[in-house]
Amino acid sequence: MKFIRRLLEKRADVYDTYWDRYAAAQDVAGVSVTPGSAEGISAVYAAVSAISESVASLPLEIYRRTEDGRDKARSHPLYKLLHTEPNANQTALEFREMLQRHVLLRGNAFAEIRWNAAGRAESLKALHPDSVTVLVTPDDSLVYDVTDRHGHRRRLLSSEVLHLRYHSDDGLMGRSPIQVARDTVGLALAERTHGERMFAQGTKLSGVIQTQPGTTKTQAGEIRESWAAGQAGVGNHGKTAVLPAGAEFKTVSMTLEDAEWIEARRMSVEEVARLFRVPPVLIGDLREANYSNAVELGRYFVTHTLRRHLVMWEQAIGRTLINDPATFYAEHNVEGLLRGDSLKRAQFYQRAIEEGWMMRSEVRRLENLPTIEGIDDEEAPPRPTE
């Protein structure tokens, strides 16, 4: 059946891929903005790491719907792939972190699904987005041409690829924050390059040397070379400059203070945090951090940053990997990230037990404590009167 579908889909047209649009784009602020260069900005790297590491480290469970609610389906074939080992070369954390980084930096992530004879997924192999060409068939479905390291190309059907998209504007291919906000990322790269060159040239001593009339071109060149050898570079910073008789140094470019370079760098961190919807404190900007808002910042991160990515994973798994979505589904456990401090958790559990909507055994399970037989049979202590 798949062979017949491949024959029918030979007429698929190449889609305007994400990487093609990147390559066709012009440089911004005099620098080239690519996933690689953008990741060189510490704020971008920190934001991508904060999201991808959090998503990959959360428990991803497979559940079975029951009449009373749900049960963990640890015997389901997908449980091992998503929770422990998706393929022979990666752990589940490494696999999910890799795909999440692809989503954030390139807008799309791909993994090849290998099915066994029984129609169950037996492995998931991550594919680098640069090696995948997306094609659209006459009936508007997608197929994927994958090029390996030796240049060999093979075609995969949509049922053979787990495709994660971010902020798509056409329903077919995703877009990353770096692609959408190239100007913002380009400005941050230009500011970093500006600082590197300023320090390499001696930070402040940047200008022109005005010589006496009659100075020949050869003499002017010797003066310039002598100045560069004695003043350029961080190693020469602070040395006293000596000019030929009658020569005068005049500053013609802005110093770091004049350009407010440090403040501009701080603004770039805020802009990157805004692009990825990450609280600045999580990417190293501690100006607004304090002990009183640490818990709330964590909740904000889960609710407004991670939730969209977690649902993306869960729905893509249900659509592509689960044969019986009416019975089974995937869901992340975010309870660990939403916990408050010990005192608040104790007060929450105490009230839940006293009001009867949570059992002691459930509390111990949430706190990863061993089971105690008969603990739910004990009478709950009376609630103090106010």
Side-chain angles (χ1 to χ4, degrees), residues 61-312:
E61 311 283 1
I62 301 295
Y63 291 97
R64 176 190 290 106
R65 293 182 174 89
T66 65
E67 295 181 358
D68 299 330
R70 65 179 186 178
D71 293 324
K72 287 185 179 180
R74 287 193 171 94
S75 60
H76 196 283
L78 279 180
Y79 186 87
K80 178 183 176 182
L81 299 184
L82 300 176
H83 194 272
T84 309
E85 186 181 16
N87 56 65
N89 299 319
Q90 290 179 301
T91 64
L93 182 143
E94 293 169 344
F95 170 81
R96 289 159 56 197
E97 181 182 7
M98 179 179 178
L99 262 64
Q100 186 62 51
R101 294 186 76 89
H102 288 168
V103 167
L104 294 170
L105 291 171
R106 291 170 165 81
N108 297 274
F110 307 96
E112 180 182 357
I113 308 168
R114 295 181 177 175
W115 303 91
N116 60 20
R120 296 179 177 179
E122 62 180 5
S123 71
L124 297 171
K125 180 183 177 183
L127 303 172
H128 197 284
D130 294 356
S131 68
V132 179
T133 302
V134 181
L135 304 97
V136 182
T137 65
D139 62 352
D140 291 331
S141 62
L142 298 182
V143 292
Y144 304 84
D145 278 359
V146 182
T147 305
D148 62 20
R149 66 186 65 182
H150 304 295
H152 301 145
R153 178 174 295 186
R154 57 197 176 89
R155 178 161 297 182
L156 299 176
L157 305 176
S158 58
S159 60
E160 297 173 304
V161 176
L162 176 66
H163 185 179
L164 304 175
R165 303 177 182 86
Y166 190 48
H167 288 178
S168 176
D169 60 354
D170 58 8
L172 300 177
M173 293 291 287
R175 301 178 302 160
S176 79
I178 298 171
Q179 178 193 9
V180 176
R182 287 173 54 85
D183 291 346
T184 299
V185 179
L187 180 60
L189 283 168
E191 290 168 354
R192 186 193 65 179
T193 303
H194 169 74
E196 291 171 349
R197 291 178 180 174
M198 290 289 284
F199 281 107
Q201 295 170 3
T203 305
K204 291 184 178 180
L205 294 177
S206 180
V208 297
I209 299 175
Q210 183 174 331
T211 60
Q212 292 293 321
T215 301
T216 65
K217 184 176 181 180
T218 301
Q219 291 173 330
E222 292 175 350
I223 294 173
R224 182 179 64 249
E225 296 300 326
S226 176
W227 176 272
Q231 302 301 320
V234 177
N236 292 322
H237 180 64
K239 289 185 177 180
T240 302
V242 179
L243 294 172
E248 181 181 359
F249 178 82
K250 292 186 176 181
T251 301
V252 295
S253 63
M254 294 184 295
T255 64
L256 293 182
E257 290 81 4
D258 294 333
E260 297 184 350
W261 179 77
I262 295 177
E263 185 62 28
R265 292 283 286 168
R266 288 177 176 173
M267 288 295 294
S268 292
V269 173
E270 293 180 6
E271 290 288 340
V272 170
R274 189 176 296 117
L275 282 179
F276 289 93
R277 299 187 66 177
V278 174
V281 64
L282 294 182
I283 59 174
D285 187 350
L286 304 178
R287 288 175 294 169
E288 303 297 331
N290 55 65
Y291 289 106
S292 63
N293 66 359
V295 174
E296 292 306 317
L297 284 174
R299 293 180 182 276
Y300 178 93
F301 181 58
V302 173
T303 304
H304 298 284
T305 305
L306 295 184
R307 180 170 175 78
R308 191 270 173 207
H309 298 285
L310 299 179
V311 174
M312 171 189 68

Side-chain angles (χ1 to χ4, degrees), residues 320-348:
T320 311
L321 291 171
I322 297 180
N323 295 326
D324 186 9
T327 304
F328 298 96
Y329 66 97
E331 185 177 301
H332 292 84
N333 184 354
V334 299
E335 183 64 30
L337 294 179
L338 293 175
R339 288 180 179 176
D341 55 50
S342 299
L343 177 60
K344 291 183 178 179
R345 291 208 314 276
Q347 293 172 342
F348 169 79

Side-chain angles (χ1 to χ4, degrees), residues 39-56:
E39 203 172 9
I41 301 174
S42 61
V44 172
Y45 184 88
V48 172
S49 296
I51 297 173
S52 59
E53 291 172 5
S54 298
V55 170

